[in-house]
Amino acid sequence: MSKVSFPAGQRIFKEGDRNTAMYIILKGNVEIFFTVNNSQTKLAVMNPGDFFGEMALFSSKPRSATARTIITTELAVIESKQQLENFLVKNPKFGAKMVSIMAERLAKTNELLISSMENATAKKIEYSPIRNSNADIDDIEPLDDL
């Protein structure tokens, strides 16, 4: 495990990057955000003791968000599963914290997914044409009372 320092406003990684490091904030603050249609959406502001980028250790997928320092920041860098395992053996309280935080993040992701699916289903139902209708446009009564 190594330590690195970044000045304020420095990008640590960006969406689409394929690096596999995870980071623990020792000093400073980091914002996590993603960009859609040139608009940034902030996901979190991380503080000393927080960690981010952990999914890169477990997945070969590109980064889903960007991490950027807010102020001068010092980070511990964990570059492999083996380094993470060694760190967690030496720091079991951090391991318990990590499991708890990852469970919270998964629960929030599930909530967002369910909400997104509900909204998509509602829109699909709302905009679906009426099918199997035996009515013809000529069968509709005129609306004279309006």
Side-chain angles (χ1 to χ4, degrees):
M1 184 165 64
S2 60
K3 291 181 185 178
V4 293
S5 186
F6 290 93
Q10 178 73 42
R11 188 175 66 214
I12 300 160
F13 58 76
K14 68 176 181 162
E15 292 171 71
D17 282 355
R18 291 204 173 261
N19 68 337
T20 59
M22 149 181 187
Y23 302 89
I24 301 170
I25 301 174
L26 303 173
K27 295 178 186 172
N29 306 99
V30 173
E31 63 180 337
I32 309 295
F33 62 92
F34 67 92
T35 306
V36 175
N37 299 327
N38 295 322
S39 177
Q40 292 181 355
T41 300
K42 189 182 297 187
L43 296 171
V45 172
M46 311 300 260
N47 301 303
D50 290 337
F51 63 92
F52 60 95
E54 71 282 355
M55 292 309 297
L57 290 177
F58 304 106
S59 166
S60 59
K61 295 183 181 178
R63 299 282 187 179
S64 60
T66 298
R68 179 176 55 210
T69 60
I70 297 172
I71 61 174
T72 299
T73 301
E74 186 176 312
L75 305 170
V77 183
I78 298 175
E79 298 182 45
S80 69
K81 288 181 192 178
Q82 186 62 47
Q83 280 185 351
L84 178 60
E85 288 174 15
N86 291 340
F87 177 77
L88 294 177
V89 165
K90 293 176 185 174
N91 299 280
K93 286 184 181 180
F94 185 87
K97 173 184 174 180
M98 187 174 178
V99 169
S100 176
I101 289 171
M102 289 179 73
E104 287 176 25
R105 290 177 184 174
L106 181 57
K108 284 182 183 178
T109 300
N110 284 344
E111 288 174 16
L112 288 171
L113 179 60
I114 289 168
S115 175
S116 177
M117 290 174 67
E118 287 171 347
N119 289 338
T121 301
K123 285 180 183 177
K124 185 175 179 180
I125 290 169
E126 181 179 333
Y127 296 114
S128 293
I130 299 171
R131 301 205 191 281
N132 299 327
S133 172
N134 294 330
D136 187 272
I137 193 72
D138 296 328
D139 296 333
I140 297 174
E141 294 296 322
L143 301 174
D144 293 331
D145 348 341
L146 294 179

